[in-house]
Amino acid sequence: MYYTNKEIFVLSSVGCMDTEPDGLESILAGNEEGAKGCCLSVDMTADGIAVLSSDGYCVAADGTQMSIADFSYAELHQVAPQLIPAGQAIELARTCQAKIAITVHNQTLLPQLRMTLRHVNYLDDTIFVGLGLVEAARIAVANPDLHIMGELPALPDNIDALVQAAQTTGLFGLRAAAGDLTSRLIDACKQAGLFTMSLPTNNERTLAGLIHSGVNFIETGRPDITAMLLPAGQSEPHQIPMMRY
């Protein structure tokens, strides 16, 4: 299996450009400001519906915080009509030709998300993030059709062993804080056919460093700044060179 990992994709983070968190405006704002994709955070209601939620609750008009997991979608939507089903966000991202990185707070949502993504023919344009290395490897082995990123808690002493383990277990790549995405780690991932992704950052100097080092996916709330820092030609939309089966 071979795929290239040379391109750089700017992904707008939740609430980018000062938009409301977990809203469709964030996807649109990121797209308008040069992002090639968006990051969605998904949780499950008590009746099994996938909705956008980065912190596990939604806020009613009176300010009450309602736990996503404790109420049905109908109950939550009645008091918080701004709650967005994940399928609606995926449809909008597809319309914008945006790539998607999804943080799944409840892993039992994976079959539902896979079905939704397959239905709109967008499974190959989606990666799953926010999973620890061991957990990510387990899910990748069980779901070889999903593009799973393993999360680095810190830069390991033995980079080669880490990259080899990630490759062996079928991970799509590694996600880490900008400071841990060293040239040594990035080069090792590229040689192994793995992608790299940064945790969110808005610092212009950090963003420039990530671009210079060749990180594949850069998550930021300021896609406008990041797009301006990209080399000529990189700011145009591209297809993610995803794995094919």
Side-chain angles (χ1 to χ4, degrees):
M1 183 185 303
Y2 174 79
Y3 52 90
T4 62
N5 55 3
K6 306 298 184 184
E7 291 181 292
I8 299 172
F9 298 88
V10 179
L11 305 182
S12 58
S13 57
V14 173
C16 84
M17 305 299 297
D18 297 322
T19 56
E20 285 293 321
D22 306 318
L24 300 180
E25 296 84 359
S26 184
I27 299 174
L28 292 171
N31 183 70
E32 291 173 359
E33 295 298 337
K36 296 178 184 177
C38 58
C39 298
L40 309 176
S41 191
V42 179
D43 212 332
M44 186 169 67
T45 64
D47 55 343
I49 305 299
V51 296
L52 298 192
S53 175
S54 55
D55 44 27
Y57 63 85
C58 65
V59 181
D62 62 0
T64 301
Q65 294 183 353
M66 301 182 64
S67 172
I68 297 295
D70 292 340
F71 298 90
S72 69
Y73 174 75
E75 291 171 325
L76 292 167
H77 191 263
Q78 184 175 8
V79 297
Q82 74 276 13
L83 188 67
I84 305 296
Q88 187 177 350
I90 291 169
E91 284 280 6
L92 178 59
R94 185 176 68 89
T95 301
C96 294
Q97 297 185 326
K99 317 313 171 191
I100 309 173
I102 300 180
T103 300
V104 181
H105 295 293
N106 188 327
Q107 292 176 26
T108 59
L109 277 173
L110 286 173
Q112 181 182 155
L113 290 171
R114 176 196 280 112
M115 184 180 301
T116 300
L117 290 162
R118 276 184 174 164
H119 178 71
V120 297
N121 195 29
Y122 229 60
L123 192 62
D124 279 348
D125 289 292
T126 303
I127 57 178
F128 293 89
V129 300
L131 300 162
L133 287 172
V134 174
E135 188 178 29
R138 178 181 60 79
I139 294 174
V141 169
N143 302 273
D145 60 333
L146 301 182
H147 305 301
I148 307 293
M149 283 268 189
E151 204 99 351
L152 287 183
L155 185 66
D157 294 328
N158 194 332
I159 290 175
D160 290 334
L162 167 70
V163 170
Q164 183 178 5
Q167 182 186 42
T168 301
T169 54
L171 289 180
F172 179 68
L174 299 172
R175 182 174 184 243
D180 291 330
L181 289 169
T182 63
S183 296
R184 175 76 180 83
L185 175 61
I186 294 169
D187 289 345
C189 285
K190 287 185 182 296
Q191 291 175 14
L194 299 174
F195 284 72
T196 51
M197 179 175 176
S198 70
L199 290 169
T201 181
N202 295 336
N203 182 277
E204 185 171 343
R205 180 175 295 183
T206 302
L207 291 167
L210 292 170
I211 292 169
H212 178 74
S213 61
V215 173
N216 301 115
F217 297 92
I218 299 174
E219 182 180 349
T220 179
R222 294 304 306 268
D224 54 336
I225 294 175
T226 316
M228 289 190 295
L229 295 171
L230 289 171
Q234 280 286 331
S235 58
E236 298 300 319
H238 295 285
Q239 286 295 110
I240 289 182
M242 294 293 195
M243 294 178 282
R244 301 289 177 176
Y245 296 88

mmCIF file of all heavy atoms in Angstrom, residues 175-216:
data_model
loop_
_atom_site.group_PDB
_atom_site.id
_atom_site.type_symbol
_atom_site.label_atom_id
_atom_site.label_comp_id
_atom_site.label_asym_id
_atom_site.label_seq_id
_atom_site.Cartn_x
_atom_site.Cartn_y
_atom_site.Cartn_z
ATOM 1 N N ARG A 175 -0.509 12.611 15.826
ATOM 2 C CA ARG A 175 -0.899 13.996 16.134
ATOM 3 C C ARG A 175 -0.234 14.405 17.440
ATOM 4 O O ARG A 175 -0.225 13.634 18.409
ATOM 5 C CB ARG A 175 -2.418 14.089 16.248
ATOM 6 C CG ARG A 175 -2.990 15.472 16.513
ATOM 7 C CD ARG A 175 -4.496 15.379 16.433
ATOM 8 N NE ARG A 175 -5.172 16.650 16.573
ATOM 9 C CZ ARG A 175 -6.013 16.951 17.581
ATOM 10 N NH1 ARG A 175 -6.235 16.047 18.536
ATOM 11 N NH2 ARG A 175 -6.618 18.109 17.629
ATOM 12 N N ALA A 176 0.305 15.619 17.470
ATOM 13 C CA ALA A 176 1.052 16.040 18.648
ATOM 14 C C ALA A 176 1.066 17.556 18.761
ATOM 15 O O ALA A 176 0.695 18.278 17.824
ATOM 16 C CB ALA A 176 2.487 15.512 18.578
ATOM 17 N N ALA A 177 1.502 18.035 19.916
ATOM 18 C CA ALA A 177 1.713 19.469 20.097
ATOM 19 C C ALA A 177 2.806 19.930 19.145
ATOM 20 O O ALA A 177 3.708 19.159 18.788
ATOM 21 C CB ALA A 177 2.094 19.759 21.543
ATOM 22 N N ALA A 178 2.740 21.185 18.745
ATOM 23 C CA ALA A 178 3.686 21.705 17.759
ATOM 24 C C ALA A 178 5.133 21.500 18.197
ATOM 25 O O ALA A 178 5.997 21.134 17.385
ATOM 26 C CB ALA A 178 3.410 23.188 17.530
ATOM 27 N N GLY A 179 5.410 21.689 19.474
ATOM 28 C CA GLY A 179 6.776 21.548 19.963
ATOM 29 C C GLY A 179 7.326 20.142 19.896
ATOM 30 O O GLY A 179 8.543 19.934 19.895
ATOM 31 N N ASP A 180 6.432 19.148 19.824
ATOM 32 C CA ASP A 180 6.861 17.748 19.745
ATOM 33 C C ASP A 180 6.973 17.242 18.310
ATOM 34 O O ASP A 180 7.449 16.135 18.080
ATOM 35 C CB ASP A 180 5.887 16.847 20.521
ATOM 36 C CG ASP A 180 5.962 17.075 22.020
ATOM 37 O OD1 ASP A 180 7.047 17.432 22.508
ATOM 38 O OD2 ASP A 180 4.927 16.906 22.694
ATOM 39 N N LEU A 181 6.529 18.046 17.360
ATOM 40 C CA LEU A 181 6.631 17.649 15.952
ATOM 41 C C LEU A 181 7.988 18.105 15.407
ATOM 42 O O LEU A 181 8.099 19.055 14.631
ATOM 43 C CB LEU A 181 5.477 18.259 15.152
ATOM 44 C CG LEU A 181 4.105 17.655 15.448
ATOM 45 C CD1 LEU A 181 2.991 18.488 14.830
ATOM 46 C CD2 LEU A 181 4.025 16.210 14.934
ATOM 47 N N THR A 182 9.013 17.399 15.836
ATOM 48 C CA THR A 182 10.372 17.739 15.438
ATOM 49 C C THR A 182 10.650 17.254 14.011
ATOM 50 O O THR A 182 9.944 16.398 13.479
ATOM 51 C CB THR A 182 11.385 17.085 16.387
ATOM 52 O OG1 THR A 182 11.254 15.651 16.283
ATOM 53 C CG2 THR A 182 11.125 17.498 17.833
ATOM 54 N N SER A 183 11.701 17.805 13.423
ATOM 55 C CA SER A 183 12.096 17.373 12.073
ATOM 56 C C SER A 183 12.395 15.886 12.051
ATOM 57 O O SER A 183 12.075 15.184 11.092
ATOM 58 C CB SER A 183 13.318 18.171 11.608
ATOM 59 O OG SER A 183 13.002 19.540 11.496
ATOM 60 N N ARG A 184 12.998 15.388 13.113
ATOM 61 C CA ARG A 184 13.341 13.965 13.207
ATOM 62 C C ARG A 184 12.075 13.102 13.160
ATOM 63 O O ARG A 184 12.013 12.096 12.449
ATOM 64 C CB ARG A 184 14.103 13.712 14.500
ATOM 65 C CG ARG A 184 14.429 12.254 14.785
ATOM 66 C CD ARG A 184 15.582 11.750 13.936
ATOM 67 N NE ARG A 184 15.858 10.370 14.236
ATOM 68 C CZ ARG A 184 15.194 9.324 13.713
ATOM 69 N NH1 ARG A 184 14.216 9.529 12.842
ATOM 70 N NH2 ARG A 184 15.521 8.093 14.045
ATOM 71 N N LEU A 185 11.064 13.491 13.917
ATOM 72 C CA LEU A 185 9.812 12.732 13.944
ATOM 73 C C LEU A 185 9.081 12.835 12.601
ATOM 74 O O LEU A 185 8.596 11.833 12.067
ATOM 75 C CB LEU A 185 8.907 13.246 15.063
ATOM 76 C CG LEU A 185 7.508 12.625 15.148
ATOM 77 C CD1 LEU A 185 7.588 11.124 15.387
ATOM 78 C CD2 LEU A 185 6.678 13.293 16.243
ATOM 79 N N ILE A 186 9.016 14.021 12.048
ATOM 80 C CA ILE A 186 8.314 14.227 10.777
ATOM 81 C C ILE A 186 8.980 13.434 9.656
ATOM 82 O O ILE A 186 8.305 12.772 8.860
ATOM 83 C CB ILE A 186 8.262 15.729 10.434
ATOM 84 C CG1 ILE A 186 7.388 16.462 11.452
ATOM 85 C CG2 ILE A 186 7.721 15.942 9.017
ATOM 86 C CD1 ILE A 186 7.487 17.964 11.374
ATOM 87 N N ASP A 187 10.302 13.469 9.607
ATOM 88 C CA ASP A 187 11.019 12.727 8.564
ATOM 89 C C ASP A 187 10.797 11.226 8.705
ATOM 90 O O ASP A 187 10.598 10.515 7.710
ATOM 91 C CB ASP A 187 12.519 13.036 8.635
ATOM 92 C CG ASP A 187 12.850 14.446 8.167
ATOM 93 O OD1 ASP A 187 11.980 15.082 7.534
ATOM 94 O OD2 ASP A 187 13.965 14.920 8.456
ATOM 95 N N ALA A 188 10.814 10.733 9.940
ATOM 96 C CA ALA A 188 10.601 9.304 10.173
ATOM 97 C C ALA A 188 9.195 8.894 9.743
ATOM 98 O O ALA A 188 8.990 7.826 9.155
ATOM 99 C CB ALA A 188 10.832 8.971 11.651
ATOM 100 N N CYS A 189 8.210 9.756 10.021
ATOM 101 C CA CYS A 189 6.831 9.460 9.617
ATOM 102 C C CYS A 189 6.692 9.446 8.102
ATOM 103 O O CYS A 189 6.053 8.556 7.534
ATOM 104 C CB CYS A 189 5.879 10.491 10.227
ATOM 105 S SG CYS A 189 5.558 10.269 11.993
ATOM 106 N N LYS A 190 7.302 10.409 7.444
ATOM 107 C CA LYS A 190 7.220 10.458 5.984
ATOM 108 C C LYS A 190 7.822 9.204 5.366
ATOM 109 O O LYS A 190 7.277 8.643 4.414
ATOM 110 C CB LYS A 190 7.922 11.715 5.469
ATOM 111 C CG LYS A 190 7.149 13.002 5.722
ATOM 112 C CD LYS A 190 7.849 14.179 5.082
ATOM 113 C CE LYS A 190 7.102 15.479 5.390
ATOM 114 N NZ LYS A 190 5.762 15.521 4.807
ATOM 115 N N GLN A 191 8.957 8.773 5.882
ATOM 116 C CA GLN A 191 9.607 7.576 5.349
ATOM 117 C C GLN A 191 8.751 6.337 5.557
ATOM 118 O O GLN A 191 8.794 5.399 4.757
ATOM 119 C CB GLN A 191 10.973 7.401 6.001
ATOM 120 C CG GLN A 191 11.991 8.457 5.598
ATOM 121 C CD GLN A 191 13.309 8.326 6.346
ATOM 122 O OE1 GLN A 191 13.572 7.295 6.979
ATOM 123 N NE2 GLN A 191 14.126 9.366 6.297
ATOM 124 N N ALA A 192 7.961 6.340 6.634
ATOM 125 C CA ALA A 192 7.103 5.186 6.935
ATOM 126 C C ALA A 192 5.728 5.296 6.277
ATOM 127 O O ALA A 192 4.902 4.399 6.429
ATOM 128 C CB ALA A 192 6.941 5.049 8.447
ATOM 129 N N GLY A 193 5.481 6.385 5.542
ATOM 130 C CA GLY A 193 4.185 6.565 4.908
ATOM 131 C C GLY A 193 3.106 7.027 5.850
ATOM 132 O O GLY A 193 1.912 6.845 5.582
ATOM 133 N N LEU A 194 3.495 7.647 6.966
ATOM 134 C CA LEU A 194 2.539 8.137 7.947
ATOM 135 C C LEU A 194 2.377 9.650 7.827
ATOM 136 O O LEU A 194 3.305 10.356 7.436
ATOM 137 C CB LEU A 194 3.003 7.804 9.371
ATOM 138 C CG LEU A 194 3.164 6.318 9.710
ATOM 139 C CD1 LEU A 194 3.776 6.168 11.100
ATOM 140 C CD2 LEU A 194 1.830 5.592 9.642
ATOM 141 N N PHE A 195 1.193 10.133 8.191
ATOM 142 C CA PHE A 195 0.923 11.562 8.181
ATOM 143 C C PHE A 195 1.157 12.136 9.579
ATOM 144 O O PHE A 195 1.116 11.419 10.579
ATOM 145 C CB PHE A 195 -0.523 11.818 7.757
ATOM 146 C CG PHE A 195 -0.766 11.662 6.285
ATOM 147 C CD1 PHE A 195 -0.773 10.403 5.701
ATOM 148 C CD2 PHE A 195 -0.989 12.763 5.482
ATOM 149 C CE1 PHE A 195 -1.004 10.248 4.344
ATOM 150 C CE2 PHE A 195 -1.215 12.626 4.122
ATOM 151 C CZ PHE A 195 -1.221 11.370 3.544
ATOM 152 N N THR A 196 1.373 13.447 9.646
ATOM 153 C CA THR A 196 1.517 14.137 10.924
ATOM 154 C C THR A 196 0.498 15.259 11.012
ATOM 155 O O THR A 196 0.111 15.855 10.010
ATOM 156 C CB THR A 196 2.934 14.724 11.090
ATOM 157 O OG1 THR A 196 3.269 15.505 9.933
ATOM 158 C CG2 THR A 196 3.949 13.611 11.288
ATOM 159 N N MET A 197 0.053 15.539 12.243
ATOM 160 C CA MET A 197 -0.935 16.597 12.466
ATOM 161 C C MET A 197 -0.624 17.311 13.770
ATOM 162 O O MET A 197 -0.217 16.692 14.762
ATOM 163 C CB MET A 197 -2.343 15.995 12.524
ATOM 164 C CG MET A 197 -3.439 17.019 12.773
ATOM 165 S SD MET A 197 -5.098 16.262 12.687
ATOM 166 C CE MET A 197 -6.126 17.672 13.122
ATOM 167 N N SER A 198 -0.822 18.615 13.771
ATOM 168 C CA SER A 198 -0.575 19.406 14.975
ATOM 169 C C SER A 198 -1.844 19.566 15.797
ATOM 170 O O SER A 198 -2.962 19.541 15.263
ATOM 171 C CB SER A 198 -0.061 20.798 14.596
ATOM 172 O OG SER A 198 -1.101 21.568 14.002
ATOM 173 N N LEU A 199 -1.668 19.738 17.086
ATOM 174 C CA LEU A 199 -2.753 20.201 17.940
ATOM 175 C C LEU A 199 -2.998 21.675 17.627
ATOM 176 O O LEU A 199 -2.159 22.327 16.999
ATOM 177 C CB LEU A 199 -2.385 19.996 19.406
ATOM 178 C CG LEU A 199 -2.341 18.532 19.882
ATOM 179 C CD1 LEU A 199 -1.714 18.443 21.259
ATOM 180 C CD2 LEU A 199 -3.735 17.933 19.893
ATOM 181 N N PRO A 200 -4.141 22.238 18.023
ATOM 182 C CA PRO A 200 -4.470 23.612 17.625
ATOM 183 C C PRO A 200 -3.431 24.634 18.078
ATOM 184 O O PRO A 200 -2.936 24.580 19.207
ATOM 185 C CB PRO A 200 -5.810 23.869 18.328
ATOM 186 C CG PRO A 200 -6.369 22.531 18.617
ATOM 187 C CD PRO A 200 -5.199 21.627 18.850
ATOM 188 N N THR A 201 -3.125 25.562 17.191
ATOM 189 C CA THR A 201 -2.259 26.687 17.522
ATOM 190 C C THR A 201 -2.617 27.869 16.646
ATOM 191 O O THR A 201 -2.980 27.691 15.476
ATOM 192 C CB THR A 201 -0.772 26.342 17.366
ATOM 193 O OG1 THR A 201 0.015 27.476 17.739
ATOM 194 C CG2 THR A 201 -0.437 25.973 15.927
ATOM 195 N N ASN A 202 -2.529 29.080 17.211
ATOM 196 C CA ASN A 202 -2.793 30.299 16.462
ATOM 197 C C ASN A 202 -1.555 31.186 16.363
ATOM 198 O O ASN A 202 -1.619 32.256 15.741
ATOM 199 C CB ASN A 202 -3.929 31.107 17.113
ATOM 200 C CG ASN A 202 -5.254 30.373 17.076
ATOM 201 O OD1 ASN A 202 -5.483 29.506 16.242
ATOM 202 N ND2 ASN A 202 -6.145 30.725 17.996
ATOM 203 N N ASN A 203 -0.456 30.747 16.969
ATOM 204 C CA ASN A 203 0.756 31.551 16.980
ATOM 205 C C ASN A 203 1.389 31.581 15.596
ATOM 206 O O ASN A 203 1.696 30.527 15.026
ATOM 207 C CB ASN A 203 1.741 30.980 18.009
ATOM 208 C CG ASN A 203 2.996 31.801 18.114
ATOM 209 O OD1 ASN A 203 3.933 31.650 17.334
ATOM 210 N ND2 ASN A 203 3.030 32.697 19.089
ATOM 211 N N GLU A 204 1.606 32.772 15.049
ATOM 212 C CA GLU A 204 2.090 32.900 13.674
ATOM 213 C C GLU A 204 3.470 32.268 13.498
ATOM 214 O O GLU A 204 3.730 31.599 12.500
ATOM 215 C CB GLU A 204 2.133 34.373 13.271
ATOM 216 C CG GLU A 204 2.515 34.577 11.815
ATOM 217 C CD GLU A 204 2.347 36.017 11.362
ATOM 218 O OE1 GLU A 204 1.638 36.783 12.058
ATOM 219 O OE2 GLU A 204 2.918 36.380 10.313
ATOM 220 N N ARG A 205 4.350 32.468 14.464
ATOM 221 C CA ARG A 205 5.692 31.884 14.352
ATOM 222 C C ARG A 205 5.621 30.359 14.394
ATOM 223 O O ARG A 205 6.326 29.678 13.640
ATOM 224 C CB ARG A 205 6.587 32.401 15.476
ATOM 225 C CG ARG A 205 8.002 31.849 15.436
ATOM 226 C CD ARG A 205 8.878 32.487 16.490
ATOM 227 N NE ARG A 205 9.062 33.918 16.245
ATOM 228 C CZ ARG A 205 9.833 34.698 16.994
ATOM 229 N NH1 ARG A 205 10.459 34.209 18.049
ATOM 230 N NH2 ARG A 205 9.953 35.975 16.699
ATOM 231 N N THR A 206 4.764 29.834 15.265
ATOM 232 C CA THR A 206 4.603 28.382 15.356
ATOM 233 C C THR A 206 4.016 27.830 14.064
ATOM 234 O O THR A 206 4.456 26.797 13.557
ATOM 235 C CB THR A 206 3.703 28.013 16.542
ATOM 236 O OG1 THR A 206 4.268 28.524 17.747
ATOM 237 C CG2 THR A 206 3.554 26.504 16.667
ATOM 238 N N LEU A 207 3.014 28.521 13.524
ATOM 239 C CA LEU A 207 2.404 28.091 12.270
ATOM 240 C C LEU A 207 3.422 28.069 11.140
ATOM 241 O O LEU A 207 3.466 27.124 10.342
ATOM 242 C CB LEU A 207 1.241 29.025 11.912
ATOM 243 C CG LEU A 207 0.006 28.938 12.818
ATOM 244 C CD1 LEU A 207 -0.935 30.114 12.552
ATOM 245 C CD2 LEU A 207 -0.716 27.624 12.621
ATOM 246 N N ALA A 208 4.253 29.103 11.068
ATOM 247 C CA ALA A 208 5.289 29.149 10.033
ATOM 248 C C ALA A 208 6.269 27.995 10.190
ATOM 249 O O ALA A 208 6.701 27.392 9.200
ATOM 250 C CB ALA A 208 6.029 30.485 10.095
ATOM 251 N N GLY A 209 6.607 27.661 11.439
ATOM 252 C CA GLY A 209 7.514 26.545 11.692
ATOM 253 C C GLY A 209 6.917 25.209 11.281
ATOM 254 O O GLY A 209 7.609 24.359 10.715
ATOM 255 N N LEU A 210 5.624 25.015 11.541
ATOM 256 C CA LEU A 210 4.950 23.778 11.145
ATOM 257 C C LEU A 210 4.934 23.626 9.631
ATOM 258 O O LEU A 210 5.154 22.542 9.095
ATOM 259 C CB LEU A 210 3.522 23.762 11.695
ATOM 260 C CG LEU A 210 3.374 23.643 13.210
ATOM 261 C CD1 LEU A 210 1.927 23.883 13.620
ATOM 262 C CD2 LEU A 210 3.845 22.281 13.710
ATOM 263 N N ILE A 211 4.665 24.727 8.941
ATOM 264 C CA ILE A 211 4.664 24.691 7.476
ATOM 265 C C ILE A 211 6.054 24.381 6.943
ATOM 266 O O ILE A 211 6.232 23.541 6.059
ATOM 267 C CB ILE A 211 4.155 26.043 6.914
ATOM 268 C CG1 ILE A 211 2.670 26.209 7.240
ATOM 269 C CG2 ILE A 211 4.380 26.121 5.399
ATOM 270 C CD1 ILE A 211 2.134 27.589 6.966
ATOM 271 N N HIS A 212 7.049 25.039 7.493
ATOM 272 C CA HIS A 212 8.432 24.834 7.035
ATOM 273 C C HIS A 212 8.889 23.398 7.255
ATOM 274 O O HIS A 212 9.610 22.827 6.424
ATOM 275 C CB HIS A 212 9.362 25.798 7.776
ATOM 276 C CG HIS A 212 10.805 25.631 7.411
ATOM 277 N ND1 HIS A 212 11.328 26.060 6.204
ATOM 278 C CD2 HIS A 212 11.843 25.067 8.095
ATOM 279 C CE1 HIS A 212 12.615 25.770 6.153
ATOM 280 N NE2 HIS A 212 12.949 25.169 7.287
ATOM 281 N N SER A 213 8.444 22.798 8.362
ATOM 282 C CA SER A 213 8.880 21.429 8.677
ATOM 283 C C SER A 213 8.089 20.375 7.918
ATOM 284 O O SER A 213 8.456 19.204 7.925
ATOM 285 C CB SER A 213 8.791 21.181 10.182
ATOM 286 O OG SER A 213 7.462 21.325 10.635
ATOM 287 N N GLY A 214 6.994 20.759 7.267
ATOM 288 C CA GLY A 214 6.247 19.814 6.443
ATOM 289 C C GLY A 214 5.191 19.015 7.168
ATOM 290 O O GLY A 214 4.850 17.899 6.743
ATOM 291 N N VAL A 215 4.634 19.552 8.269
ATOM 292 C CA VAL A 215 3.522 18.874 8.945
ATOM 293 C C VAL A 215 2.331 18.828 7.985
ATOM 294 O O VAL A 215 2.004 19.826 7.348
ATOM 295 C CB VAL A 215 3.145 19.616 10.241
ATOM 296 C CG1 VAL A 215 1.886 19.021 10.862
ATOM 297 C CG2 VAL A 215 4.297 19.544 11.239
ATOM 298 N N ASN A 216 1.678 17.683 7.889
ATOM 299 C CA ASN A 216 0.635 17.500 6.871
ATOM 300 C C ASN A 216 -0.681 18.189 7.189
ATOM 301 O O ASN A 216 -1.326 18.746 6.304
ATOM 302 C CB ASN A 216 0.367 16.008 6.657
ATOM 303 C CG ASN A 216 1.604 15.251 6.225
ATOM 304 O OD1 ASN A 216 2.084 14.390 6.952
ATOM 305 N ND2 ASN A 216 2.140 15.573 5.059
#
